[in-house]
Amino acid sequence: MQKTICLSFDIEDWFQVENLREKFSPEIWYKCESRVVKNTIKILDLLDKYNVKATFFVLGWIAERFPDLMKEIHSRGHEIASHGYGHIINYQLTREEVFEDIKKSKEILENIINQKIIGYRAPNFSITKDVIDALEKLGFKYDSSYHPFSKNKRYGKISIEKKGFFYIRENLLEIPMSVWKSKSFELSIVGGGYFRLYPFSLFKKLALSYLEKKII
Ligand SMILES: [Zn+2]
């Protein structure tokens, strides 16, 4: 069986992460130095070099300000998907606000690349029932927000617990994050914070070991 890694990137700026929210509230984001274009181009060049295609989960707030970056990602053959609009944890929003946030980001992205957006990843993996309801209603085909890593309490929870990809609704595929688990221990092996914090040798070892287990 061919083993495959699904490579994806969440496209947002450094001041939008939840851990900096107290110092950098959304009202002052417009004043912060943006680094997202330069860094995304670096990723695109690296992917071109190795002829690898990926999915870019883009924040609507970013897409609105940098439409040319969206066109660049799209024209280089990668998938553009939604990371919501305002990067607020979904369970801090009302059901209506969740729907509006996802709808707004989908419309912005579709208007820029002129193509249907079918994938979504929640900020801080804050999957909730309201999110799944909204995605289903808005015609998304897949969600990639479920992170089954029990040590981070900020992540969202769902009632269904399954391994690998699974249909969370009839027409909505769930593509969860990868977590390396043994009987007594677990480590997340998705990127972002974990990729930056672990020594690369450890990250690589965990990823290879995870693939060997044929969990996907
Ligand atoms: Zn994010």
Side-chain angles (χ1 to χ4, degrees), residues 149-165:
F149 180 49
S150 65
K151 307 296 175 207
N152 192 324
K153 302 299 174 208
R154 197 185 276 161
Y155 300 158
K157 302 272 181 290
I158 49 171
S159 51
I160 318 161
E161 292 260 347
K162 286 187 178 172
K163 279 184 181 170
F165 295 10

Side-chain angles (χ1 to χ4, degrees), residues 7-208:
L7 192 59
S8 65
F9 300 90
D10 295 356
I11 302 301
E12 60 199 48
D13 234 314
W14 62 272
F15 45 82
Q16 293 171 318
V17 297
E18 190 58 29
N19 288 334
L20 295 180
R21 190 54 46 88
E22 269 184 41
K23 288 244 183 287
F24 297 92
S25 67
E27 293 75 43
I28 62 156
W29 285 355
Y30 75 95
K31 290 194 232 170
C32 300
E33 180 208 345
S34 176
R35 299 173 193 164
V36 71
V37 175
K38 197 174 73 181
N39 290 334
T40 306
I41 295 291
K42 272 189 196 168
I43 292 172
L44 289 172
D45 290 345
L46 203 56
L47 293 175
D48 277 353
K49 188 176 165 189
Y50 293 99
N51 195 23
V52 172
K53 299 297 177 213
T55 293
F56 288 70
F57 292 97
V58 184
L59 200 63
W61 193 94
I62 292 289
E64 210 168 47
R65 281 153 185 84
F66 305 106
D68 286 348
L69 180 65
M70 301 308 108
K71 288 176 189 162
E72 183 74 21
I73 297 168
H74 185 59
S75 71
R76 294 211 205 182
H78 304 288
E79 182 194 10
I80 291 198
S82 164
H83 193 34
Y85 181 82
H87 214 270
I88 305 295
I89 292 179
N90 282 310
Y91 50 78
Q92 293 174 353
L93 302 173
T94 65
R95 185 173 166 81
E96 288 70 31
E97 285 169 339
V98 165
F99 185 84
E100 286 308 317
D101 182 273
I102 299 174
K103 184 171 176 266
K104 189 175 177 183
S105 76
K106 188 176 193 283
E107 285 171 358
I108 290 169
L109 293 169
E110 286 178 350
N111 285 335
I112 295 170
I113 62 162
N114 206 16
Q115 199 170 299
K116 278 257 167 289
I117 299 297
I118 60 165
Y120 172 79
R121 174 169 294 149
N124 295 286
F125 307 109
S126 58
I127 187 171
T128 64
K129 186 184 171 294
D130 288 346
V131 170
I132 299 303
D133 288 346
L135 295 177
E136 196 178 26
K137 213 167 172 183
L138 290 163
F140 281 85
K141 298 283 178 217
Y142 75 90
D143 172 63
S144 185
S145 307
Y146 177 43
H147 195 156
F149 180 49
S150 65
K151 307 296 175 207
N152 192 324
K153 302 299 174 208
R154 197 185 276 161
Y155 300 158
K157 302 272 181 290
I158 49 171
S159 51
I160 318 161
E161 292 260 347
K162 286 187 178 172
K163 279 184 181 170
F165 295 10
F166 61 93
Y167 275 90
I168 194 159
R169 293 283 163 84
E170 200 183 342
N171 294 311
L172 189 70
L173 182 70
E174 180 58 43
I175 304 177
M177 300 307 111
S178 305
V179 177
W180 186 92
K181 287 184 182 183
S182 72
K183 272 185 189 144
S184 54
F185 202 59
E186 61 179 282
L187 282 171
S188 172
I189 45 169
V190 295
Y194 305 104
F195 185 69
R196 288 190 287 270
L197 289 170
Y198 300 165
F200 179 63
S201 55
L202 174 66
F203 193 90
K204 192 175 168 186
K205 213 170 176 174
L206 290 169
L208 288 172

